[in-house]
Amino acid sequence: MSRYPQAILTLIAYLKKLPGVGTKTSERCAFELLSWLESELQEFSVHIKDLKEEIESCSICGCLKEEGPCFFCDQTRRDTNVLCIIASPKAAYLLEETAYYKGLYHVLGTLLSPLEGKHPEDLHLDKVIERLKAHEIKEVIIALDATLEGDTTALYLKEQLAPLEVHITRLALGLPMGSTLDYIDQNTLSQALAGRQPI
Ligand SMILES: [Zn+2]
């Protein structure tokens, strides 16, 4: 049985690293790419190559930003009394889509998961505490996945932030258990945000 040329095999291996892409889909995508014009492939590869150069993380909130000031930290447009704690920069875009939330964000970058070697020090909570003290933040909304790791992290945050006398809420768990925010539709997320509860 003959096999795919090495270049196709390599491409398939990379495509399979993408979420939700299995063997069949990656094979289909690899052959699709093969049918593109040379110029399109060149352009595509340039965008991939420059991805990390063109995008950086905001040193304050951890959200993604391009050159210039951070959109999510613009104090003239945001409600600086509320801080929403999220695990990854993508969650900020999901919450913005609901058009309900106008406050500040803070990206943790990870969730607690002792099995995967993610411990409290990896959350860098000192940065959160510093921001809470610097701004007049009255409420912290914890917007983490409704998973074991999300729950563990939320409880830890609650314990650590309790002495700061800030109102702490978490998205209402109208979110299905075990779900990640990525797969929640806009309505469910809006409702969960509106119905957030003290924890
Ligand atoms: Zn920012």
Side-chain angles (χ1 to χ4, degrees), residues 134-147:
H135 297 282
E136 297 212 335
I137 291 168
K138 297 186 174 65
E139 180 182 358
V140 169
I141 302 176
I142 300 176
L144 301 177
D145 294 340
T147 57

Side-chain angles (χ1 to χ4, degrees), residues 62-99:
C63 288
L64 300 182
K65 70 187 273 294
E66 291 169 285
E67 226 175 293
C70 171
F71 168 83
F72 299 103
C73 285
D74 182 352
Q75 299 204 8
T76 61
R77 302 166 55 154
R78 314 295 307 190
D79 174 359
T80 55
N81 289 321
V82 198
L83 181 76
C84 183
I85 298 186
I86 51 182
S88 79
K90 184 160 186 293
Y93 297 97
L94 296 169
L95 289 157
E96 288 294 296
E97 270 177 39
T98 68

Side-chain angles (χ1 to χ4, degrees), residues 153-169:
T153 310
L155 276 175
Y156 179 74
L157 287 172
K158 185 192 165 192
E159 277 169 20
Q160 296 297 308
L161 303 181
L164 295 171
E165 290 181 6
V166 63
H167 187 51
I168 304 172
T169 55

Side-chain angles (χ1 to χ4, degrees), residues 52-73:
K52 295 243 176 165
E53 267 172 48
E54 288 174 2
I55 298 170
E56 52 183 300
S57 296
C58 170
S59 59
I60 300 166
C61 72
C63 288
L64 300 182
K65 70 187 273 294
E66 291 169 285
E67 226 175 293
C70 171
F71 168 83
F72 299 103
C73 285

Side-chain angles (χ1 to χ4, degrees), residues 81-191:
N81 289 321
V82 198
L83 181 76
C84 183
I85 298 186
I86 51 182
S88 79
K90 184 160 186 293
Y93 297 97
L94 296 169
L95 289 157
E96 288 294 296
E97 270 177 39
T98 68
Y100 180 92
Y101 184 70
K102 302 281 181 217
L104 301 170
Y105 290 99
H106 191 93
V107 178
L108 288 179
T110 186
L111 293 175
L112 290 179
S113 176
L115 289 178
E116 287 173 34
K118 300 292 180 191
H119 302 291
E121 58 270 26
D122 298 313
L123 300 178
H124 302 291
L125 276 198
D126 46 327
K127 277 180 140 187
V128 180
I129 292 167
E130 213 172 281
R131 291 186 76 192
L132 292 181
K133 286 181 176 166
H135 297 282
E136 297 212 335
I137 291 168
K138 297 186 174 65
E139 180 182 358
V140 169
I141 302 176
I142 300 176
L144 301 177
D145 294 340
T147 57
L148 180 63
E149 290 80 9
D151 286 351
T152 310
T153 310
L155 276 175
Y156 179 74
L157 287 172
K158 185 192 165 192
E159 277 169 20
Q160 296 297 308
L161 303 181
L164 295 171
E165 290 181 6
V166 63
H167 187 51
I168 304 172
T169 55
R170 189 175 179 195
L171 294 189
L173 298 179
L175 302 177
M177 279 310 288
S179 63
T180 67
L181 291 184
D182 271 4
Y183 295 105
I184 301 299
D185 67 88
Q186 223 180 81
N187 285 340
T188 310
L189 189 57
S190 295
Q191 279 174 2

